[in-house]
Amino acid sequence: MITRGANAEADSIAARHDTPKHTPSWLRRALPDTGPQRALVMSSFVNRIGTGMFLATSALYFTVIVGIPARQVGTGLSIAGLAALLGSVPAGTLADRVGPRTVQLVTLAVQTVTMALFVVVHSWWAFTVVAALDYVADAANNAARGALIGRIGGERPGLFRAKLRTFVSVGVVAGTLLAAVAIQIGTRGAYVTVILVNAVSYVVCALLLLRVPNFGALPKPAGTRRFAALADRPYAAFAALNGLINLQAVVVTLVIPLWIASRTQIPHWAAAAVFGLNFLVGTALMQPVGRRIKTTEQGGKAMRVAGLAIAVGCAVLAGSNSGPRWSETLVLFVGAAVLCAAGVWVTAAGFSLSFELAPAHAQGQYQGVTLLGLDAAGAVGPALLTALVLGLGAPGWVVLGLGFAAAGLMGPAVTRWAERTRPTVVSVGDAAPEPA
């Protein structure tokens, strides 16, 4: 079990940034508790606005404006995704040694350059190289950010990460809405403006990140291996299981829209409505669910609840391609709502367990392993899930649900196995940060 002590300098910073007492209670619960936490929230929020703008326009930019065939764009992104698998664990290890903020600042500088280079990309090979560099930098940034969250998250970094998730989700939606303006204009200049604004967002993100303390390395126990996280079989089992259950997001964002378009009479606007439903459910439930998961035992049980709930949602969706259009639509939204709610439990459990099961001195490296599990599942999951559901139809949904239920039922056992092999007590907050 991991406990986190108080850091004197961090406490003094927090004391100067407490939420005013006249702030409404619901807003006090939603806002992070300390100045460094709020600085990281603002930094991530700005970054995700730019990310939302780019993600919403990138496919159209590279295919319509640059002229790269859609299939080649997909191939290039697949190569970039495979390259990103190599970045998370080494970057997390480096963050543990030189400080997570330093690694984040370097990766943000790299992403600023790669984003600007997209403006001058005119061939498939150049696109693939730049995308691979960008994906590797993004994976490294996420690993370092996980380590930083572990250092400033207080007694419950998983809860802080849940709060952070709420705000960055709002940022992505805001960016997507702004991107709609560029898509409506449809000119090269409009798309280039979106890309350059995203590049600038990395710079602003880095400047805001300077307000977060520059934590130094924590001492390693004697005999610790360099890449101990990769040899930690119980944690690797958790990371793999977490990656599998998080494929719920692929079901919501990819499988359901394809199911609507190819297997049902449901109007296509329902796909966009499912996206909106997923955002609303996640925003409303993420923090309340995150507060309920306080121990590793609760985290394992939450994975079990999530797996069974996803199975129920899949069973409901199996009935969304029979009957009149109105009943198909109603059944689809009921099943999608169950999946969206289950996704909140999946995410909250993963956040809590990824910190609680990781030793304090190697938070970055272990966060890298968690990301490796997510990315590996994300690399192979979309093709398998779509082939299963679209190929088999309603029986495919049932098989998919049984797979998620089996994964969820393994949650408590894997969690107990990992917890038995953890150090008894590890202190995180004793290393004073260097001056920011």
Side-chain angles (χ1 to χ4, degrees):
M1 184 66 65
I2 297 175
T3 61
R4 290 169 172 79
N7 178 280
E9 183 168 342
D11 286 346
S12 65
I13 295 173
R16 297 194 298 268
H17 293 83
D18 286 341
T19 305
K21 293 183 179 180
H22 61 270
T23 304
S25 59
W26 65 268
L27 184 58
R28 284 201 302 270
R29 288 194 300 269
L31 287 172
D33 297 328
T34 70
Q37 290 183 1
R38 293 181 194 175
L40 184 58
V41 166
M42 290 303 300
S43 174
S44 301
F45 180 76
V46 170
N47 176 247
R48 294 310 180 189
I49 291 177
T51 299
M53 294 175 65
F54 179 71
L55 291 179
T57 58
S58 58
L60 291 174
Y61 171 74
F62 292 118
T63 55
V64 177
I65 304 300
V66 179
I68 302 174
R71 182 169 295 180
Q72 291 186 14
V73 170
T75 302
L77 293 178
S78 296
I79 294 173
L82 292 174
L85 295 177
L86 304 176
S88 56
V89 176
T93 304
L94 186 62
D96 293 327
R97 301 278 58 84
V98 303
R101 194 189 73 171
T102 300
V103 175
Q104 272 203 280
L105 291 174
V106 172
T107 57
L108 289 170
V110 173
Q111 288 188 279
T112 301
V113 174
T114 55
M115 195 55 52
L117 287 175
F118 278 134
V119 174
V120 297
V121 162
H122 296 291
S123 64
W124 175 81
W125 69 267
F127 160 75
T128 302
V129 170
V130 174
L133 291 173
D134 184 72
Y135 272 43
V136 170
D138 185 62
N141 182 281
N142 287 331
R145 186 164 66 111
L148 188 59
I149 290 171
R151 298 298 291 274
I152 69 173
E155 296 292 333
R156 297 183 61 190
L159 177 57
F160 168 55
R161 192 158 199 171
K163 292 183 177 183
L164 181 63
R165 176 66 171 267
T166 302
F167 286 95
V168 299
S169 297
V170 173
V172 170
V173 172
T176 303
L177 295 176
L178 292 173
V181 178
I183 295 174
Q184 182 64 31
I185 296 173
T187 64
R188 176 180 176 82
Y191 283 97
V192 167
T193 299
V194 167
I195 294 174
L196 294 180
V197 168
N198 190 26
V200 171
S201 77
Y202 290 119
V203 177
V204 177
C205 177
L207 292 175
L208 291 171
L209 200 61
L210 293 176
R211 299 175 58 192
V212 178
N214 187 26
F215 291 94
L218 290 174
K220 295 189 296 183
T224 301
R225 299 171 60 179
R226 177 173 297 181
F227 291 106
L230 293 175
D232 190 335
R233 289 183 296 173
Y235 194 91
F238 154 71
L241 188 63
N242 186 53
L244 289 175
I245 298 182
N246 268 278
L247 287 175
Q248 168 272 344
V250 174
V251 177
V252 172
T253 59
L254 178 64
V255 179
I256 288 179
L258 293 177
W259 172 260
I260 291 172
S262 63
R263 283 281 193 161
T264 73
Q265 306 176 60
I266 299 171
H268 290 181
W269 58 259
V274 169
F275 277 92
L277 178 65
N278 190 45
F279 168 73
L280 292 175
V281 171
T283 303
L285 298 182
M286 181 57 68
Q287 293 193 40
V289 172
R291 290 191 182 92
R292 297 185 62 177
I293 303 175
K294 300 178 181 179
T295 65
T296 54
E297 180 182 5
Q298 291 172 338
K301 290 180 178 179
M303 295 183 80
R304 180 175 61 194
V305 169
L308 294 175
I310 296 171
V312 171
C314 289
V316 174
L317 288 169
S320 63
N321 70 332
S322 60
R325 177 179 293 188
W326 69 266
S327 65
E328 286 187 355
T329 305
L330 178 61
V331 172
L332 178 99
F333 278 113
V334 171
V338 175
L339 281 176
C340 294
V344 177
W345 287 89
V346 169
T347 304
F351 285 169
S352 177
L353 290 171
S354 67
F355 289 112
E356 293 298 326
L357 295 176
H361 70 276
Q363 281 284 332
Q365 184 179 141
Y366 275 76
Q367 291 301 314
V369 172
T370 303
L371 291 171
L372 186 62
L374 293 170
D375 292 340
V380 300
L384 292 177
L385 298 188
T386 52
L388 178 64
V389 172
L390 300 184
L392 298 180
W397 280 114
V398 176
V399 173
L400 182 63
L402 292 174
F404 276 110
L409 290 173
M410 293 173 62
V414 170
T415 302
R416 287 193 298 269
W417 179 31
E419 188 175 21
R420 286 196 303 268
T421 61
R422 301 306 95 182
T424 304
V425 176
V426 183
S427 179
V428 168
D430 297 333
E434 301 169 8

